Amino acid sequence: MKQIDRKKRSQQYIYEAALQEFGTYGYEGVNMENICKRHDISKGMMYHYFANKEELFLYCVEQIFKGLYTKINEDIPKLPKEDILATIKEYFMIREYYFENRPLEKEIFENAIIKTPKDLKDKISILRLPLKQMNHQFIKEQIAKQTLRDGISDEDAMQYLEIVDQLIISSMKLYYDKNTNNLNVVLKHLEKMLDMILFGIIKKEAV
């Protein structure tokens, strides 16, 4: 076996072990020694590729972000075009579909985005930049198709909808934890929430 193939195989094995650990115990509950013991990884091999827990966690986060980016990029052309609510709902649901059968990656993603380790905040922000830029472009394109309320600029709408992404992640995690892992039920919850976000919750009285 070539050296480059051995390197890839070793990194992949460590990565899969790290997914198990970080996805099960969270960033704070993991240390390098336990990963090595539980997954029969020599310390020499571990520290040859990753200097510390922080570096290993960032590597996991980077791989997850890259996988999600690829999936979203592939699915954007398939989104419905005629209804902004359906379009935005399906855009945000790409992430839910992607993580449906990837519970360990989902936990690490949420650990990185919602419960971001303070000392890794800046580095995670850099790793997330391609995803944020993709969201920014998508939102910009949706706004361009709509008639905004008087007094609401494109920039106002952009800032508002960018906040929605963080809100959805937090809300969906809370809903999963308290209710169900049934994706169809979760989807209906998301649709209702997006409807309220986009069109408001207060009925305007006729004057």
Side-chain angles (χ1 to χ4, degrees):
M1 182 181 293
K2 295 180 180 179
Q3 184 176 358
I4 190 170
D5 292 331
R6 286 198 298 271
K7 179 179 179 180
K8 287 181 179 179
R9 190 175 70 171
S10 297
Q11 284 183 312
Q12 182 63 26
Y13 185 77
I14 294 172
Y15 172 62
E16 291 173 1
L19 286 182
Q20 287 285 338
E21 295 296 310
F22 289 124
T24 302
Y25 303 105
Y27 177 76
E28 298 298 338
V30 170
N31 62 61
M32 298 288 268
E33 184 174 350
N34 284 341
I35 296 177
C36 291
K37 285 181 178 179
R38 289 171 180 155
H39 300 273
D40 195 25
I41 299 171
S42 71
K43 290 184 179 180
M45 185 173 80
M46 173 66 83
Y47 288 104
H48 176 73
Y49 294 108
F50 301 99
N52 49 48
K53 180 177 80 169
E54 292 82 359
E55 191 174 299
L56 180 57
F57 182 74
L58 289 172
Y59 179 77
C60 292
V61 171
E62 182 179 19
Q63 299 310 305
I64 293 167
F65 283 178
K66 285 181 176 179
L68 179 58
Y69 179 94
T70 299
K71 177 61 175 174
I72 293 174
N73 199 43
E74 289 174 350
D75 284 4
I76 283 178
K78 306 173 188 176
L79 295 175
K81 304 292 193 299
E82 65 282 353
D83 180 355
I84 183 175
L85 180 59
T87 303
I88 294 177
K89 178 191 75 176
E90 289 301 321
Y91 180 79
F92 285 119
M93 282 307 298
I94 293 173
R95 181 169 55 209
E96 298 303 316
Y97 293 132
Y98 180 76
F99 285 126
E100 183 179 13
N101 296 314
R102 296 177 173 87
L104 297 174
E105 288 94 328
K106 182 179 176 67
E107 285 298 320
I108 294 170
F109 177 84
E110 292 174 348
N111 197 167
I113 301 302
I114 300 174
K115 299 175 287 186
T116 311
K118 291 182 180 179
D119 54 336
L120 300 181
K121 182 177 180 180
D122 291 341
K123 292 179 180 179
I124 289 174
S125 293
I126 292 172
L127 294 176
R128 194 187 178 195
L129 190 57
L131 280 170
K132 293 187 71 173
Q133 290 173 335
M134 180 183 285
N135 287 346
H136 184 93
Q137 181 62 31
F138 171 80
I139 291 169
K140 185 177 180 180
E141 290 172 358
Q142 300 314 306
I143 290 173
K145 300 174 186 176
Q146 306 303 314
T147 301
L148 300 177
R149 281 172 36 202
D150 292 342
I152 303 295
S153 67
D154 286 355
E155 184 179 352
D156 293 334
M158 286 289 296
Q159 292 176 347
Y160 175 72
L161 288 177
E162 284 175 350
I163 293 171
V164 169
D165 187 43
Q166 189 75 15
L167 176 64
I168 285 175
I169 294 174
S170 300
S171 176
M172 297 302 283
K173 178 171 174 55
L174 181 65
Y175 195 76
Y176 268 121
D177 291 345
K178 288 190 174 182
N179 293 275
T180 181
N181 285 322
N182 186 318
L183 196 61
N184 290 325
V185 174
V186 173
L187 190 148
K188 287 193 174 295
H189 168 69
L190 175 60
E191 184 174 6
K192 181 178 181 180
M193 185 173 65
L194 280 172
D195 185 272
M196 291 189 293
I197 290 170
L198 293 174
F199 304 114
I201 60 172
I202 304 299
K203 181 179 180 180
K204 291 187 177 180
E205 301 292 340
V207 292

